[in-house]
């Protein structure tokens, strides 16, 4: 009688195992099919100016490459604001160096929160009255308290971008699918623990299935279907930076846009190597201008200016020399901001 009762118990738990495993398979496969059908209808299209206006280079870099704020995000963010004519990049004849400047803050207009934050943070908090030299950052961070404040603001900026991605429904940190898989995985592991003494085989099955379900949950992307759709639109753009011939670009503006985003994607060196570099010493960066490119002989031919590339490289190096040691120190003493 006891043996028969134990056999029935095992049979019941076997049914539970099959049902839970089937539910996991249906959930995962169903989600994959839904995502495949959605992405299958999205063609590789050329990004419009609306896309570039809606998603800043640092934001789309966060979507594609994941968490982490790097110096290239700050550089690309500032240059993108210059490109959009929100702030200017000018040269101080007195100091002999370049600076970012918001000439008329009252005319800033409505910007995405992370762009608004970047201006207020660097041009007013670190800089002075809307004017920011890269050297200002060095002077600002010499003070220990201000250095800590800067790292806090850096983390806040990263969080703003993360919240923006959530707000746009591009990511979901703990989506419904993950929640369901977590519950099922925990339930399976608990049952497996309870069956160790009475049924070693069923216990092993529940443990293996629970562990696999937990691994699926942990490795499942937090990117939503809409986020995957944006990902599919932007990845070809990144690939074009690596592969697209210069002759296919129509004008200097499209080149400048691509270069600024290439900085955020850590592809600036690859991008510069693709296009010819020319001396442009007769040009200088003035208010409301960003002469990264100059016209050359031949219809529509352009070249990257040495002046523009050197300026951006120097700026990036300066940021790196100041920010990287601080983030490493913070990582040693606390949670840190990963590089």
């Amino acid at each position: 009688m006891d043996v028969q009762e134990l056999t029935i118990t095992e049979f019941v738990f076997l049914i539970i195992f099959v049902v839970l495993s089937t539910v996991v398979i249906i959930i995962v496969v169903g989600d994959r099919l839904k995502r495949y059908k959605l992405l299958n209808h999205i063609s590789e299209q050329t990004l419009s100016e609306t896309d570039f206006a809606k998603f800043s280079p640092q934001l789309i870099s966060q979507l594609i490459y994941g968490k982490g704020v790097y110096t290239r995000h700050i550089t690309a963010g500032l240059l993108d604001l210059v490109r959009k004519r929100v702030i200017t990049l000018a040269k101080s004849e007195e100091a002999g160096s370049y600076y970012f400047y918001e000439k008329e803050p009252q005319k800033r207009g409505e910007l995405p929160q992370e762009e608004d934050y970047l201006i207020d943070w660097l041009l007013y908090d670190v800089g002075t009255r809307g004017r920011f030299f890269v050297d200002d950052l060095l002077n600002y961070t010499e003070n220990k308290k201000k250095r800590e404040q800067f790292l806090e603001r850096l983390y806040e900026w990263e969080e703003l971008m993360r919240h923006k991605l959530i707000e746009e429904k591009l990511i979901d940190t703990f989506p419904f699918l993950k929640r369901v898989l977590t519950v099922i995985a925990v339930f399976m592991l608990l049952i497996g623990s309870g069956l160790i003494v009475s049924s070693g085989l069923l216990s092993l099955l529940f443990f293996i299935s629970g562990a696999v379900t937990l691994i699926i949950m942990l490795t499942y992307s937090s990117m939503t279907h809409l986020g995957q759709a944006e990902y599919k639109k932007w990845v070809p753009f990144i690939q074009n930076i690596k592969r697209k011939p210069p002759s296919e670009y129509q004008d200097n503006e499209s080149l400048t846009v691509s270069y600024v985003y290439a900085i955020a994607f850590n592809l600036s060196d690859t991008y510069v190597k693709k296009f010819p570099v020319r001396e442009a010493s007769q040009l200088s960066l003035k208010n409301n201008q960003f002469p990264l490119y100059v016209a050359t002989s031949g219809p529509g031919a352009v070249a990257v200016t040495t002046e523009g590339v050197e300026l951006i490289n120097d700026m990036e190096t300066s940021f790196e020399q100041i920010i990287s040691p601080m983030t490493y120190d913070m990582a040693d003493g606390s949670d840190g901001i990963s590089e």
Side-chain angles (χ1 to χ4, degrees), residues 34-218:
K34 184 179 179 181
R35 181 166 292 187
Y36 173 78
K37 290 179 181 178
L38 173 67
L39 298 181
N40 196 42
H41 287 85
I42 299 175
S43 59
E44 293 186 4
Q45 54 186 297
T46 303
L47 295 167
S48 66
E49 184 59 34
T50 303
D51 293 306
F52 292 113
K54 185 177 182 180
F55 298 112
S56 61
Q58 63 271 19
L59 185 68
I60 208 65
S61 179
Q62 291 286 83
L63 174 67
I64 294 173
Y65 297 110
K67 187 178 180 180
V69 173
Y70 309 131
T71 54
R72 66 175 185 268
H73 293 136
I74 296 177
T75 304
L78 289 171
L79 293 176
D80 193 53
L81 289 167
V82 173
R83 182 187 69 83
K84 293 175 180 176
R85 304 290 193 259
V86 176
I87 61 177
T88 60
L89 181 58
K91 184 173 184 179
S92 169
E93 298 301 331
E94 181 181 347
S97 56
Y98 292 97
Y99 62 92
F100 295 93
Y101 180 50
E102 185 178 30
K103 189 175 182 180
E104 299 178 299
Q106 69 277 11
K107 295 183 180 180
R108 184 186 300 183
E110 192 171 333
L111 293 175
Q113 195 174 6
E114 76 278 1
E115 295 184 13
D116 223 20
Y117 186 93
L118 185 63
I119 296 174
D120 290 337
W121 172 31
L122 291 182
L123 274 64
Y124 291 90
D125 185 18
V126 178
T128 306
R129 295 191 297 275
R131 193 184 302 262
F132 171 68
F133 291 84
V134 177
D135 288 343
D136 290 339
L137 184 57
L138 178 61
N139 298 329
Y140 184 89
T141 54
E142 284 180 344
N143 180 284
K144 182 180 179 181
K145 185 176 181 180
K146 286 189 174 181
R147 182 162 62 246
E148 292 173 353
Q149 290 175 350
F150 180 86
L151 290 173
E152 289 174 3
R153 297 293 297 270
L154 187 66
Y155 178 73
E156 286 173 5
W157 189 49
E158 179 183 352
E159 284 297 291
L160 277 179
M161 288 188 278
R162 187 178 69 86
H163 288 308
K164 175 70 173 179
L165 293 173
I166 294 173
E167 182 184 308
E168 294 290 338
K169 301 188 185 307
L170 300 180
I171 63 170
D172 189 342
T173 52
F174 199 39
F176 177 74
L177 182 142
K178 279 194 169 187
R179 294 198 295 270
V180 172
L181 291 179
T182 301
V183 171
I184 293 175
V186 171
F187 188 54
M188 283 182 165
L189 292 173
L190 288 175
I191 293 177
S193 299
L195 291 173
I196 288 178
V197 177
S198 60
S199 179
L201 179 60
L202 277 176
S203 175
L204 183 62
L205 287 175
F206 272 103
F207 266 124
I208 293 174
S209 187
V212 170
T213 303
L214 193 61
I215 290 171
I216 292 173
M217 184 279 295
L218 292 173

